[in-house]
Structures are given as C-alpha cells and as structure tokens.
Amino acid sequence: MNNSFSESYKKAGVDVTAGYKSVELMKKHIARTMIPGALSGIGGFGGLFELDMTGISKPVLVSGTDGVGTKIKIAFILDKHDTVGIDCVAMCVNDIICCGAKPQFFLDYIACGKNIPEKIAEIVSGVAEGCVQAECALIGGETAEHPGLMPEDEYDLAGFSVGVVDKDKILQPDTQKAGDVLIAIKSSGVHSNGFSLVRRVFDVNEQKLNMRFDDLGATLGETLLTPTRIYVKAVMSLLDAVKVKSISHITGGGFYENIPRSLPKNLAAKIERNAVQVLPIFDLIQRTGDIPERDMFNTFNMGVGMIVSVDKNDADKAVAAIKAAGEDAYVLGELVESEEGVIIC
C-alpha cells in the first residue's frame, strides 16, 4: 500500500493514506475479538468465518443489522468516541439472541466527513469491546470518507452480525400460554433508542451534558453515553438452564411496540407498573420534558433491556441463571388472554 496515493483524490477531500493508518491503528483492537472460526485478517475483500457445527444438526443463520442512531450526537459534543461501538454491536447481537441464536461474527461500517485515523481507531475500539462482550469476532468492516456529504468532524456508525441456531432450538412464541411469567433483565440506561426525544428534552449542549445530577450520580453526558448492555452471555446461560419461550429486546418503541413482536395474537403481557424498576434517568427525562407516562413506556426501555417469557414453574430458576451470568433480573408480570398486546396496570 506504500505506493498507493492520489494527490488529485486528496484535493477532492479523500486521503487514502489516512485510511491505511486507520487500519494499522485498529488492528490491536480487532485482535482482541479473534475466536475459533475467524479465518481472515482485515484488509481482504471479504471476511471469512468457519462455523463450528458441533451439536447443531440443522444450522440456521440469523442476521441482524442496526446503527447507533442520534445518540452519536452526544459523542460528537463530548468528543468521546470509544463507547458508541459497543452500542452498535449491542443493537445487532441483542436482536439475534431473541431467536435463540448465538452471534458468530460482526462487521462495522463507518461513514465520516474526514478520516481522522485516531478517531476511527477510537470508534473501532468500542466495536471490538462490544464483540468481546458478545463473544463474536470482528472479521471486517468499511470506513468511507464522504467529503461534502457530512461535516468533517462527524460520522455515522452501523453494523451487521450473523449468528447460528439449531432449527429445532429456535424459540417458538406460539408455545406461550396464559400464566407464563415475564422476567425483566435490567438495562444500563437509555441504551441507543429515543435520543431524538432526549436531545429535544434537554436541548443538549456541552454545558448541559457536563452538569452533574445527584440522582444520577454522574453528569448527564456520562449517563446518556452509558453503553447498551450486551445480553449474549446471560441469554446463552439462560437457554441452557430452562426452556425459554420468547425473548423481547426493548428498543425504540419501548414496551408497547416490542413486546407484542414476541407474542401470539391471543395473548397480552400484563405488567405490574410498580414492579418496573425505573432508572433515575427516565424519571429525569419525564420530569424535564413533562412527558406522559404512556409515551415514556412507548419510547424508552424504562430500565428493562430484555423481557423473557418462561413457564411459571421455571421463573425462579430463570432469574437465578440470569443473575449468575452477571445481569440483574426480576419478575415483571405474566401473560394473560387478551388481544391488547401490552397492559400496564
């Protein structure tokens, strides 16, 4: 690559040598994610991964893709870029595990106004950390310099992940019945959804993001940039411990949009409002923005990152398995016969 340089292209706003430097700087981060099955290093035209089919008789590939959304604006203002990559991985792999699949590999895509190698490497360090937490390999990606399309100091980040599950072990929401118990797995905060509303509520700028709130125990910016929890290890442990009937990833649209995606039409999730362990950041958002409670539950995760459905006889064992895997969990409600989808009372 030493002889690859175009003065004309650089004058147009694209410095290919900056791209090469970015790759060199990110290699140490990518190396942390290498797991058995990852066959190729970065720099090729495709990422290679060999699936281990041990114990899988009918392999089914499960894919997920997502980005970080407007949360990335908080990173711009605070000039802190090493956590949004965790969010990007989380938004993809947390969807995949809702089918019962284990993530295998991940690819990222960074579009930037100007390729600043140190910033790109910082972003990728977060992506790599997310992959380590998800126990999947970062086997490729793309950094695209887009002069004129976005400001030089801005970027966007998206990703794509693939997992595998035995066809006979794909979760079957149709097996759910009235009386099944809903278990909440706690979130770490706002995660990566609802930030258009968050930014409007706080009219965010550097000064406001650096304000410290006693009930948060941190600055507003630190709280909002808290990375999305990655639930892969906890869910894989849970699947080994009990029969899980369905899993809902609580993202944009909150409870009212996401929970019904994992329910048959004749059942609704009946959630005890007082059981929901709402995090302080959501109370602050609601008070500051004077937002109706239903809108809060229809926009944010409210402190619940995942909701798992199990037979009532397995509830205690399920909570114990989740806690043993390092996440906090508690009983949130139950399934009832209704076509309302979600009932919070």
Side-chain angles (χ1 to χ4, degrees), residues 6-23:
S6 170
E7 183 65 34
S8 298
Y9 207 8
K10 185 175 181 179
K11 289 179 179 178
V14 178
D15 185 355
V16 294
T17 59
Y20 304 146
K21 184 178 180 181
S22 296
V23 171

Side-chain angles (χ1 to χ4, degrees), residues 35-310:
I35 61 174
L39 301 182
S40 60
I42 58 174
F45 288 102
L48 304 179
F49 192 89
E50 181 180 16
L51 286 174
D52 181 0
M53 295 292 98
T54 303
I56 301 177
S57 59
K58 301 175 184 176
V60 174
L61 297 180
V62 182
S63 59
T65 185
D66 208 338
V68 183
T70 64
K71 178 176 184 173
I72 217 161
K73 295 285 285 187
I74 310 298
F76 295 164
I77 295 170
L78 295 177
D79 194 24
K80 180 174 171 55
H81 312 283
D82 60 343
T83 60
V84 289
I86 301 175
D87 292 296
C88 189
V89 174
M91 298 308 294
C92 297
V93 299
N94 284 347
D95 278 353
I96 287 174
I97 59 178
C98 289
C99 300
K102 186 179 189 308
Q104 302 292 307
F105 58 83
F106 186 86
L107 292 90
D108 62 1
Y109 179 83
I110 304 170
C112 56
K114 181 178 177 61
N115 188 329
I116 302 172
E118 292 76 13
K119 180 185 286 188
I120 299 300
E122 188 178 356
I123 298 167
V124 174
S125 73
V127 176
E129 174 58 28
C131 288
V132 169
Q133 292 182 24
E135 299 183 327
C136 67
L138 177 56
I139 62 171
E142 172 71 10
T143 301
E145 200 167 13
H146 290 166
L149 186 61
M150 59 178 66
E152 287 191 354
D153 61 345
E154 293 191 2
Y155 59 87
D156 196 13
L157 173 64
F160 172 83
S161 187
V162 172
V164 63
V165 61
D166 195 311
K167 187 174 183 179
D168 294 332
K169 295 182 179 180
I170 297 173
L171 299 190
Q172 301 293 333
D174 289 343
T175 64
Q176 296 175 103
K177 65 183 186 302
D180 285 345
V181 171
L182 298 172
I183 295 170
I185 308 180
K186 283 190 175 182
S187 73
S188 56
V190 185
H191 283 185
S192 297
N193 304 103
F195 272 85
S196 294
L197 178 54
V198 168
R199 290 185 300 108
R200 186 192 66 78
V201 166
F202 294 112
D203 190 21
V204 294
N205 55 43
E206 186 174 3
Q207 181 180 2
K208 290 181 180 178
L209 290 174
N210 284 318
M211 290 178 60
R212 186 176 182 85
F213 291 82
D214 290 340
D215 48 349
L216 299 181
T219 67
L220 178 62
E222 288 168 341
T223 302
L224 294 178
L225 274 187
T226 300
T228 306
R229 293 294 295 176
I230 291 177
Y231 299 106
V232 174
K233 294 179 183 178
V235 168
M236 293 300 109
S237 296
L238 178 64
L239 292 172
D240 288 337
V242 302
K243 178 177 175 55
V244 177
K245 298 188 177 184
S246 77
I247 303 175
S248 300
H249 183 199
I250 310 304
T251 56
F255 284 44
Y256 288 102
E257 181 177 321
N258 289 289
I259 299 174
R261 296 167 65 182
S262 297
L263 295 177
K265 291 183 178 179
N266 63 313
L267 292 178
K270 183 180 180 181
I271 293 170
E272 299 177 31
R273 172 62 182 86
N274 291 336
V276 183
Q277 298 179 17
V278 178
L279 294 175
I281 182 59
F282 297 110
D283 290 329
L284 181 61
I285 292 170
Q286 185 173 9
R287 289 197 314 269
T288 306
D290 191 24
I291 300 171
E293 185 168 86
R294 194 188 191 286
D295 287 358
M296 292 293 295
F297 276 91
N298 206 163
T299 305
F300 302 107
N301 67 61
M302 300 300 285
V304 179
M306 306 282 276
I307 295 178
V308 179
S309 169
V310 298

Side-chain angles (χ1 to χ4, degrees), residues 27-39:
K27 280 183 177 179
K28 65 181 180 181
H29 303 300
I30 296 171
R32 297 179 57 219
T33 76
M34 291 298 100
I35 61 174
L39 301 182

